[in-house]
Amino acid sequence: MHLLNLGILAHVDAGKTSLTERLLHSAGVIDEIGSVDDGNTRTDTLALERRRGITIKSAVVSFPVDDVTVNLIDTPGHPDFIAEVERVLGVLDGAVLVVSAVEGVQPQTRILMRTLQRLRIPTLLFVNKIDRRGARYDDLLSAISERLRAAVVPMGSVEGLGTREAGFVPGLGPSAPAVLAEHDDELLTAYVENTVTYDLLRTALATQTRQVLVHPVYFGSAITGAGVDALITGIKELLPPAEGDPQGPLSGTVFKVERGPAGEKVAYARLFSGTLRTRDRITFGDTGGIREEGKVTAISVFDHGTDVERDCVPAGRIGRLRGLGEIRIGDSIGVPRKAVEHYFAPPTLETVIVPGPDADRRALHLALTQLAEQDPLIGLRQDEVRQETAVSLYGEVQKEVIQATLADEFGVHVTFRETTPLCVERPIGTGSAVEFNKKDPNPFLATVGLRVDPGPVGSGVRFGLEVELGAMPYAFFKAVEDTVRETLGQGLHGWRVTDCVVTMTHSGYSARQSHAHQGFDKSMSSTGADFRGLTPLVLVEALRRAGSQVHEPMHRFRVEAPADTLAALLPVLAALRAVPRTTETHGSLCVLEGEVPAAQVHGLERQLPGLTRGEGEWESAFDHYAPVAHGTVPERARTDHNPLNRKEYLLNVARRVA
């Protein structure tokens, strides 16, 4: 039996979860179709999902199509939960991108399609809601082709568009031969000679769909079932089956982690090679990172709409694994695959969680830790001095979901401070500093010299040596490098320092000393703690001499609005520091593209409907960091021992050691 791991993706409210219900019903997995409004769908299992009517967490459900078993993964549609979509993309064999026949191509649709094309994931399009008033066909096909920059092949026509009786009539449209001939010389010759056959077209369509050269487009309605049978046929015939050698070396990826009824971790993993069996001891962890080891105590796979216990999970399948207490989202199982890529931008906003008057801080910490396990990009930041916890975000809806989840699932009530942008710091020039062992004012038995140089944009942090690796024990070098990376989490203004090269220029230590007939004498011998204690002081002094500049996150934006509303729109854009770069007019519509600080995006989204009579369309995504050029430089409260203040730092370190 063939396997297919299929993702369902869409802009919010396009009908993605409703389509999932219809597919399960058509395949005979469920007897009654659940409703998002009624909160009884198969994949929206969280109480919050059912209450709000949106998908927050990805969910897996299986259904058969003849001899093909489809593992269908329903993903969130709201942009605030794009990280959940990102984790799913790496395990897909194919995708269905859902578009509303009424609302058409939305900003999130464009972002998803660009990513699917970049990752070379074969994708079918399903235009939903053809039974709704205002549904479109011809102009929507043109918009899909133009705005998604995709070669599309209509897979049929629509009858009764915009009515309850709307139906889909399968059949390749007249444009199919011309579109497919662009990538097939044999078909092009037949097209010119007027000898094109249906079999030749279907073969070319399947080949080019799997090569991500074209995207078949189906129209239908998840509510009435129109067009869904044709879509199921397309899923079976046009998308590639899962690949993988069950006899090969074990290799897989964890894309989701949840907690079971007893609080145990349950990992969702796609196997790309090998076969994983119950009671197998396996290694797992990030590529290039520390590898953990654990024993799988139970395995279940997805079959006919539910998960069933199995003794093993072979290559190509998705399994739910128990027993791996240290496993995390993104971990490789067995032989590591390539390093985990981020297909979407990281969160650019941050807020501080404020516990309610009766909140148990220990319970809050435990709850946040479990949430971070399920969504690593939450990025918890603990401030022990102020007893505060900050969390990184994609948007305001995500903040509301965290608040509701803490209340509903953990019984902890919280509020939030105002959302602020997450900035970064970059070195301006070169700076060096050194402190020598047994020389005032250095209280540590260590010599550390460091130089900070600017690095190329996007290069992150690199660490190098200008001293002999054998000059002292390797553990001391490792202590310095690890502490450098940790210290750069908070620069001169409190923001993460990036795009720099840190070079160790001096090293030295006191060799192990002991008195006669006595053990190791710490007061005379260097330890890793000496290097971990001294490195932050040297590093921040080098960074201070180099200087650093705070950069704020910038979004690229696209606004499509009636041309006669520009007079009202442009001053507001200017007041919020948005800079239009290009302006185009298409009939009565005007399209502005430019950049805007991330901190202003939410405000612009709220004002746009009033400025454009409700006709404006806003699209934005993180693009780059730019130097803060207006107002005071934003500062971020420190959560470390503050090596910028030597006296305070030494007191804090001494207190920690004591």
Side-chain angles (χ1 to χ4, degrees):
M1 176 175 282
H2 292 302
L3 294 167
L4 170 63
N5 297 298
L6 177 72
I8 303 288
L9 298 89
H11 188 277
V12 65
D13 290 335
K16 173 177 46 59
T17 301
S18 297
L19 177 59
T20 299
E21 290 290 309
R22 176 59 68 174
L23 289 171
L24 295 176
H25 182 266
S26 297
V29 171
I30 57 177
D31 296 327
E32 294 185 9
I33 297 175
S35 167
V36 173
D37 294 335
D38 294 339
N40 58 356
T41 58
R42 180 62 63 94
T43 52
D44 284 346
T45 57
L46 299 179
L48 184 58
E49 291 178 314
R50 295 181 169 182
R51 190 165 64 245
R52 292 187 63 115
I54 61 172
T55 301
I56 297 170
K57 295 291 182 183
S58 60
V60 183
V61 66
S62 177
F63 65 90
V65 180
D66 298 333
D67 62 340
V68 178
T69 295
V70 179
N71 285 327
L72 189 151
I73 308 176
D74 186 17
T75 62
H78 198 283
D80 282 13
F81 308 107
I82 197 68
E84 192 75 18
V85 179
E86 176 178 83
R87 291 188 280 273
V88 168
L89 292 176
V91 305
L92 297 183
D93 304 304
V96 173
L97 182 60
V98 184
V99 180
S100 167
V102 180
E103 289 84 10
V105 176
Q106 298 292 298
Q108 186 77 347
T109 319
R110 288 160 53 90
I111 293 171
L112 291 170
M113 177 57 93
R114 283 198 300 264
T115 307
L116 289 166
Q117 290 176 326
R118 188 168 76 248
L119 298 177
R120 310 298 298 167
I121 297 176
T123 303
L124 311 180
L125 281 86
F126 184 77
V127 179
N128 191 26
K129 303 182 182 181
I130 62 170
D131 57 323
R132 298 283 184 88
R133 181 180 300 176
R136 297 170 290 151
Y137 181 84
D138 290 325
D139 65 325
L140 184 53
L141 272 176
S142 300
I144 290 173
S145 178
E146 178 183 343
R147 298 199 60 194
L148 298 185
R149 299 179 182 177
V152 298
V153 178
M155 298 300 294
S157 57
V158 177
E159 295 179 342
L161 185 66
T163 68
R164 185 71 179 178
E165 291 73 33
F168 181 70
V169 182
L172 288 174
S175 64
V179 174
L180 295 170
E182 291 186 16
H183 308 286
D184 188 321
D185 291 339
E186 180 185 358
L187 182 59
L188 178 60
T189 301
Y191 182 59
V192 172
E193 296 175 353
N194 200 26
T195 58
V196 175
T197 64
Y198 178 78
D199 289 342
L200 187 61
L201 281 177
R202 288 293 298 190
T203 300
L205 177 64
T207 300
Q208 294 183 32
T209 299
R210 296 179 181 189
Q211 295 175 346
V212 199
L213 297 174
V214 300
H215 301 281
V217 182
Y218 298 84
F219 282 73
S221 168
I223 299 300
T224 67
V228 173
D229 288 343
L231 175 64
I232 291 175
T233 301
I235 291 171
K236 175 191 172 184
E237 297 179 354
L238 302 179
L239 295 179
E243 297 180 349
D245 179 9
Q247 308 304 318
L250 182 67
S251 181
T253 298
V254 176
F255 66 92
K256 178 178 178 177
V257 173
E258 64 183 17
R259 292 276 178 172
E264 76 280 13
K265 279 189 179 180
V266 181
Y268 288 65
R270 156 78 189 267
L271 286 196
F272 295 94
S273 174
T275 299
L276 180 60
R277 295 175 174 82
T278 306
R279 293 183 293 279
D280 278 355
R281 293 198 69 85
I282 63 172
T283 58
F284 54 89
D286 294 326
T287 303
I290 298 174
R291 304 286 285 169
E292 303 281 353
E293 186 174 307
K295 184 171 76 171
V296 178
T297 58
I299 293 174
S300 58
V301 299
F302 296 92
D303 193 20
H304 282 77
T306 186
D307 62 306
V308 292
E309 296 289 331
R310 289 286 187 268
D311 293 331
C312 66
V313 52
R317 296 209 77 148
I318 292 173
R320 298 175 81 236
L321 314 179
R322 286 181 165 83
L324 306 176
E326 301 302 318
I327 203 156
R328 302 179 299 272
I329 289 174
D331 279 356
S332 294
I333 292 177
V335 178
R337 293 170 56 79
K338 64 179 181 179
V340 176
E341 293 184 54
H342 291 300
Y343 313 125
F344 303 105
T348 57
L349 302 172
E350 184 179 59
T351 186
V352 173
I353 297 174
V354 181
D358 300 324
D360 184 331
R361 290 185 178 271
R362 286 178 297 181
L364 173 60
H365 178 75
L366 177 63
L368 290 172
T369 301
Q370 291 195 16
L371 288 182
E373 289 175 355
Q374 300 171 25
D375 187 356
L377 289 181
I378 280 181
L380 298 179
R381 183 172 179 268
Q382 303 286 347
D383 185 340
E384 300 298 340
V385 176
R386 297 171 182 78
Q387 293 292 299
E388 293 178 348
T389 302
V391 58
S392 52
L393 302 166
Y394 278 98
E396 296 298 316
V397 173
Q398 189 180 13
K399 185 163 68 175
E400 295 171 15
V401 167
I402 292 174
Q403 184 180 36
T405 302
L406 289 172
D408 295 348
E409 298 187 18
F410 300 96
V412 180
H413 297 277
V414 302
T415 56
F416 298 91
R417 292 187 190 157
E418 182 182 1
T419 303
T420 57
L422 269 173
C423 300
V424 299
E425 292 182 46
R426 290 186 174 125
I428 299 172
T430 296
S432 300
V434 60
E435 295 206 23
F436 294 97
N437 186 13
K438 298 181 180 178
K439 288 189 178 181
D440 287 338
N442 179 10
F444 301 100
L445 293 178
T447 294
V448 174
L450 297 171
R451 185 179 68 247
V452 176
D453 295 292
V457 173
S459 62
V461 175
R462 290 183 291 167
F463 181 81
L465 298 176
E466 282 186 0
V467 294
E468 292 290 339
L469 189 58
M472 63 182 187
Y474 173 74
F476 294 163
F477 285 112
K478 188 72 169 74
V480 172
E481 179 178 357
D482 290 347
T483 307
V484 162
R485 296 186 182 279
E486 180 183 350
T487 304
L488 289 178
Q490 301 180 71
L492 302 181
H493 300 278
W495 304 103
R496 177 175 60 90
V497 181
T498 188
D499 300 337
C500 65
V501 180
V502 179
T503 306
M504 191 170 184
T505 58
H506 297 75
S507 67
Y509 73 109
S510 294
R512 182 183 181 93
Q513 302 287 331
S514 61
H515 298 294
H517 310 298
Q518 295 181 7
F520 169 63
D521 187 351
K522 163 64 187 77
S523 66
M524 302 169 61
S525 313
S526 297
T527 66
D530 288 301
F531 288 89
R532 288 190 293 272
L534 179 58
T535 297
L537 290 173
V538 177
L539 180 59
V540 297
E541 183 58 31
L543 186 60
R544 199 192 319 253
R545 294 174 181 177
S548 72
Q549 188 171 32
V550 177
H551 291 62
E552 63 180 334
M554 302 292 292
H555 281 218
R556 63 180 181 274
F557 74 84
R558 182 182 188 274
V559 175
E560 185 175 299
D564 61 356
T565 64
L566 279 184
L569 182 59
L570 288 174
V572 174
L573 290 174
L576 295 176
R577 295 193 286 131
V579 181
R581 299 297 185 189
T582 63
T583 305
E584 296 180 3
T585 302
H586 303 281
S588 61
L589 289 178
C590 184
V591 178
L592 297 176
E593 294 187 355
E595 58 188 45
V596 60
Q600 309 296 343
V601 169
H602 185 57
L604 274 171
E605 289 176 330
R606 286 185 300 178
Q607 294 188 51
L608 188 67
L611 295 170
T612 60
R613 301 191 298 270
E615 300 177 45
E617 183 178 298
W618 172 270
E619 175 184 343
S620 71
F622 171 79
D623 188 64
H624 66 283
Y625 287 95
V628 175
H630 299 273
T632 57
V633 176
E635 301 281 338
R636 192 188 197 195
R638 303 192 72 87
T639 60
D640 57 7
H641 294 305
N642 192 16
L644 291 173
N645 184 321
R646 187 182 187 93
K647 182 177 180 180
E648 178 186 339
Y649 174 80
L650 292 175
L651 285 173
N652 284 328
V653 171
R655 189 180 301 117
R656 180 186 63 186
V657 172

